Amino acid sequence: MSTIETAADQRSFIPVTLDLGDVVLCPWGRKTDVRDGAVPALIAAAADPAIALWNPLRTTDEASAGAYLDRCDAGWESGNSAAFAILDGADRTLLGNTALRWVNREDGLAMIGYWLAPAARGRGAATRAVRAVTSWGIATAETRRIEIAHAAGNDASCRVAERCGFPYEGTLRASYLFGDGKYHDEHLHARLAGDPEPA
């Protein structure tokens, strides 16, 4: 077995629940313990204007929401991606999502994204979730570098990146087709495995 194959085998995302107290990060998918409310919650999230613009889910009905959960299961099974439902620690209602996926598994390069339901915004849930999943990915799957790319106009996402220790590195021009059908510039942030934990 080559050195590259060995590294890729070690760099697998293994399902785990991360309990942060008032917030719990639970693996998404039909095969996990996210309750039956996952499908209607995904449909409701897709209808939110901010999510529809910056994180279009395309989970507008039961079939597409189910397909989303199936893709999450497949990502976990392959070790290529780790999608977590951000749940309220008390009643397990859905607050949002954060997902870590390999861009180049052999090289240890990954990307993380996130969204929050409207009622969950302003309480630090995205920041806590992204910090936890970033630390988990570095510690358990040998991620060397994790990137965040968000639309230049998405100020809330920029603040999460900065609070999580992902410094701004530059602007990617017209790099991604967003929910409005237009290509937007994106800000690129990144964190290296050796960077200090944010204060």
Side-chain angles (χ1 to χ4, degrees), residues 17-184:
T17 295
L18 302 174
D19 190 340
L20 310 181
D22 60 330
V23 173
V24 176
L25 309 180
C26 182
W28 267 119
R30 292 184 192 267
K31 300 175 183 178
T32 67
D33 65 353
V34 176
R35 303 296 183 250
D36 294 337
V39 166
L42 279 169
I43 293 170
D48 173 66
I51 292 174
L53 176 58
W54 301 129
N55 301 91
L57 296 176
R58 299 177 181 86
T59 56
T60 55
D61 55 32
E62 288 190 14
S64 56
Y68 176 96
L69 295 172
D70 288 340
R71 289 191 299 275
C72 293
D73 278 330
W76 282 111
E77 288 170 5
S78 68
N80 282 324
S81 63
F84 290 90
I86 305 171
L87 305 176
D88 185 280
D91 61 14
R92 293 296 178 108
T93 56
L94 180 69
L95 304 178
N97 169 84
T98 186
L100 183 64
R101 65 174 176 81
W102 290 117
V103 175
N104 186 329
R105 189 169 175 175
E106 294 170 354
D107 190 43
L109 173 62
M111 179 167 281
I112 194 166
Y114 40 89
W115 54 263
L116 287 179
R121 294 172 192 156
R123 55 189 270 191
T127 298
R128 295 183 64 215
V130 170
R131 282 187 180 189
V133 173
T134 296
S135 296
W136 168 80
I138 291 169
T140 65
E142 299 182 1
T143 51
R144 177 186 64 80
R145 173 183 165 93
I146 301 176
E147 298 179 342
I148 292 173
H150 65 81
N154 189 347
D155 295 334
S157 196
C158 195
R159 290 191 295 273
V160 169
E162 291 169 349
R163 286 193 296 261
C164 292
F166 287 75
Y168 169 74
E169 292 191 341
T171 298
L172 308 171
R173 296 180 301 152
S175 65
Y176 191 79
L177 184 67
F178 283 86
D180 59 1
K182 299 176 182 176
Y183 284 93
H184 288 254

